[in-house]
Amino acid sequence: MQKLFLTEKEIRGLLEKFGSPLYVYDEQILRKCCREMRSILDVPNAHVSYSVKANTNLRVLQIAHEEQLYADTMSPGEVFMALKAGYKPHEILYVCNNVSGEEMKYCADQDILISIDSVSQMETLARTCPGARASVRVNTEFGDGHHEKVVTAGKKTKFGVELRFMDEIRRIADEAGIRIVGLNQHIGSSVKDPGNYEAAANVLIDEAMHFPDLEMLDFGGGFAVPYRDEDQELDLDAMRAMFRRIWDRVSAEHPNGKNISLHTEPGRYISAACGQLLGTVEAVKENFGKTYIGTDIGFNVLARPMLYDAYHEIVFPGHEDGEKKAVTVAGNICESGDVLAKDRLLPIPEVGDPIAILTAGAYGYMMSSTYNCRLRPAEVLIRQDGSAELIRRRETFEDLLATFNLD
Ligand code: LLP
C-alpha cells in the first residue's frame, strides 16, 4: 500500500509556498531505494548505476552519488549533468543509440565508456574515436516492459546488436584499435520477472566468453516498482540470489572472471517511489453522466498516463475516508486525452482541495514540457530532518522567452 509521505496540512503549506503543481521528493525514501539496490548486488566488484534520465534533478543525482551509485546516461546532456553532480568519468556509462560521431567524441575525450549498439555505430566510433574503449549493447532477444513502447530488447526493437553481428563488430573494433572492454544490455522497463532477466543475463555471459579481456558486464534493468496498491514489491531476496548466481558463473567460467565488474541499471526503482506530484482541484463537473475532477496537473506536468496509459495512485488528502464514486481525473491542457485516470473509484474533493499523484519521482518532471505555454513546476526535497528545500524553482513567463532573440 503506497502512502502519502506528507500530511494534508503540510501539502497545503507547500503548495502555498512553492506554487501548484509541485513535485516533492522524500530524501529518506530516495536513499532507502539506493541502498536496497546496492544490497541486491551483494557480490565483489559490483556497481549499481542510476539511470539519470529517470530524474535528472542535480540534488537527486548528488544524493544517488553519495549513496555510491554510478550513472548510466543516454545523451551528452545527461553526461554533462552527471559530471556536474560529481560523478567521475569512470562511474559513467554512455548508453547511446543512433548518435553522431561528435557525441561519441564528447564522451571519449572525457574518458567515458561508450556503449555501441550497431555495426553502423561501431563504424562511426572507429572513424571518430580510433583507440577508444567501448562496450557493446547486445540484444539477447529477451524483451520485457510495462508497455510495448518501453520494451528495449527482443525482436521488435531498435536497440542492441544481434549476436550474429558480434564478429563484425569485433573486426571493425580491432582494425581501429578500439578495445571492447564491456558488454551491456537492457531488456526493458519495469522488469518484474527475475527469471526473464536471468535468462537474458546468461546469454550475455555466454557471449562474454568470446571476449577474454572483458572488464565489465552490465546486465541492465530496469526493475519494477509498485504503481498500484495491489502490485507486488520487488522480491529483493530473489534478486540478490540471482545476482549471486550470475557472479558465481562469471567468476568461475570467464577467463578474466575474478576481475570483471558487474553492473545493473535498476532505472526508476531508484527515484520513482520518493516522488509525489501535488496539485490543486480546480473544477468538479458532470458531463453526460460522467463526473470529471479537473486539476492543474496536465500531461505537460505528468506525461506517463497519456503516453503509456500508465497508472498512478491518486489521493485527495483529507478525503481518504470519503464515499467513493467512479470519476475521471483530468488536467488543464486543451486536448481530450489529457486524463490522469479514467473511471477510477475515488472520493469527491472540492474545488481548492489538493490532489497527490503517487510514485511520480521517475519520468515525471523529466518528461514535462511547456505545452500550451504552461510553466513547469518547482521541485522540492523533503530533507531527512523534515525541512523542505527548493531544488528547482518554478518556471516564469520570462523562461518562455529565454530562447528567443528579442533584439
Ligand atoms: N538503462 C537503459 C539502457 C534503458 O534504456 C532504460 C530505460 C533504463 C536503464 C531504465 O529503466 P526503467 O527505469 O525504464 O525501468 N519513460 C518511460 C520509461 C522509458 C525507459 C526506456 N529505457 C516511462 O515513464 O515508463
Side-chain angles (χ1 to χ4, degrees):
M1 180 79 177
Q2 303 165 68
K3 286 198 304 276
L4 273 178
F5 51 68
L6 295 161
T7 63
E8 182 197 348
K9 189 162 170 241
E10 287 167 335
I11 289 172
R12 286 184 187 270
L14 288 170
L15 288 172
E16 173 106 29
K17 183 160 180 198
F18 299 109
S20 179
L22 178 70
Y23 275 98
V24 286
Y25 308 114
D26 183 294
E27 180 175 1
Q28 220 160 4
I29 299 175
L30 173 60
R31 288 188 186 274
K32 176 173 144 282
C33 291
C34 293
R35 287 172 199 174
E36 281 175 355
M37 285 299 103
R38 286 194 55 226
S39 81
I40 63 170
L41 276 191
D42 186 23
V43 293
N45 202 10
H47 300 282
V48 175
S49 286
Y50 173 53
S51 301
V52 164
K53 68 175 160 176
N55 188 324
T56 314
N57 188 292
L58 271 179
R59 275 302 279 132
V60 172
L61 293 181
Q62 283 162 356
I63 291 169
H65 193 234
E66 281 165 24
E67 292 294 336
Q68 300 173 39
L69 266 53
Y70 280 19
D72 53 272
T73 56
M74 317 287 153
S75 70
E78 286 188 3
V79 169
F80 172 78
M81 293 298 281
L83 290 168
K84 269 268 176 257
Y87 292 74
K88 305 278 177 302
H90 76 272
E91 296 170 333
I92 301 174
L93 176 65
Y94 181 38
V95 192
C96 55
N97 170 247
N98 306 336
V99 305
S100 68
E102 287 73 45
E103 285 199 12
M104 294 180 187
K105 198 159 170 358
Y106 171 80
C107 293
D109 285 350
Q110 303 185 75
D111 255 344
I112 288 164
L113 187 60
I114 304 170
S115 146
I116 292 300
D117 89 336
S118 62
V119 170
S120 173
Q121 290 268 274
M122 184 54 98
E123 283 165 347
T124 305
L125 184 73
R127 208 169 44 244
T128 49
C129 312
R133 292 156 74 250
S135 179
V136 178
R137 178 170 179 171
V138 180
N139 186 331
T140 53
E141 289 189 30
F142 289 88
D144 212 327
H146 67 82
H147 187 279
E148 63 173 314
K149 288 182 183 162
V150 296
V151 174
T152 52
K155 288 188 175 156
K156 292 186 180 157
T157 78
K158 62 173 183 162
F159 294 111
V161 177
E162 259 186 75
L163 291 173
R164 67 192 173 104
F165 293 121
M166 290 300 281
D167 284 344
E168 201 178 342
I169 288 263
R170 211 181 350 216
R171 182 186 56 73
I172 299 164
D174 285 348
E175 277 172 14
I178 288 171
R179 276 181 56 224
I180 297 178
V181 297
L183 295 185
N184 60 298
Q185 72 175 3
H186 179 79
I187 63 172
S189 269
S190 290
V191 173
K192 284 190 184 133
D193 174 10
N196 211 14
Y197 188 89
E198 187 168 6
N202 275 316
V203 179
L204 195 70
I205 298 171
D206 292 342
E207 184 57 29
M209 301 305 168
H210 303 297
F211 294 84
D213 302 326
L214 218 60
E215 295 169 13
M216 92 93 199
L217 273 173
D218 184 334
F219 298 99
F223 303 145
V225 294
Y227 280 105
R228 292 171 191 261
D229 280 342
E230 62 269 29
D231 284 349
Q232 297 278 318
E233 300 269 343
L234 194 68
D235 185 342
L236 298 178
D237 290 335
M239 298 299 278
R240 191 172 305 112
M242 176 190 71
F243 279 112
R244 171 57 66 178
R245 286 193 294 277
I246 288 176
W247 163 247
D248 285 348
R249 189 173 166 219
V250 172
S251 60
E253 294 179 25
H254 193 278
N256 194 32
K258 297 271 184 296
N259 301 315
I260 290 182
S261 63
L262 297 194
H263 298 239
T264 183
E265 299 170 18
R268 77 193 61 210
Y269 194 93
I270 301 297
S271 64
C274 75
Q276 299 188 346
L277 170 57
L278 311 179
T280 305
V281 173
E282 301 292 4
V284 180
K285 76 188 247 188
E286 295 280 323
N287 242 10
F288 305 100
K290 264 192 196 301
T291 302
Y292 289 84
I293 312 288
T295 76
D296 58 0
I297 302 181
F299 73 85
N300 64 307
V301 181
L302 182 68
R304 301 191 72 253
M306 167 96 165
L307 270 181
Y308 317 116
D309 289 325
Y311 185 103
H312 288 261
E313 292 294 350
I314 293 178
V315 180
F316 295 112
H319 291 277
E320 286 88 340
D321 300 326
E323 196 186 327
K324 291 186 178 149
K325 192 177 160 190
V327 298
T328 291
V329 184
N332 53 6
I333 293 295
C334 194
E335 291 201 25
S336 51
D338 182 31
V339 160
L340 285 162
K342 211 171 169 191
D343 300 327
R344 179 108 43 108
L345 269 187
L346 288 168
I348 311 289
E350 283 168 26
V351 170
D353 282 345
I355 172 174
I357 315 284
L358 307 190
T359 328
Y363 310 109
Y365 188 97
M366 292 319 299
M367 293 173 73
S368 66
S369 74
T370 55
Y371 183 47
N372 275 197
C373 282
R374 293 222 163 258
L375 306 175
R376 268 179 284 238
E379 295 180 290
V380 160
L381 182 74
I382 308 298
R383 293 203 198 101
Q384 296 188 93
D385 64 7
S387 61
E389 175 188 347
L390 181 66
I391 56 173
R392 179 166 2 211
R393 69 162 171 80
R394 189 177 164 72
E395 286 182 340
T396 64
F397 281 169
E398 290 308 309
D399 291 314
L400 294 176
L401 295 174
T403 45
F404 290 100
N405 182 355
L406 298 175
D407 292 341

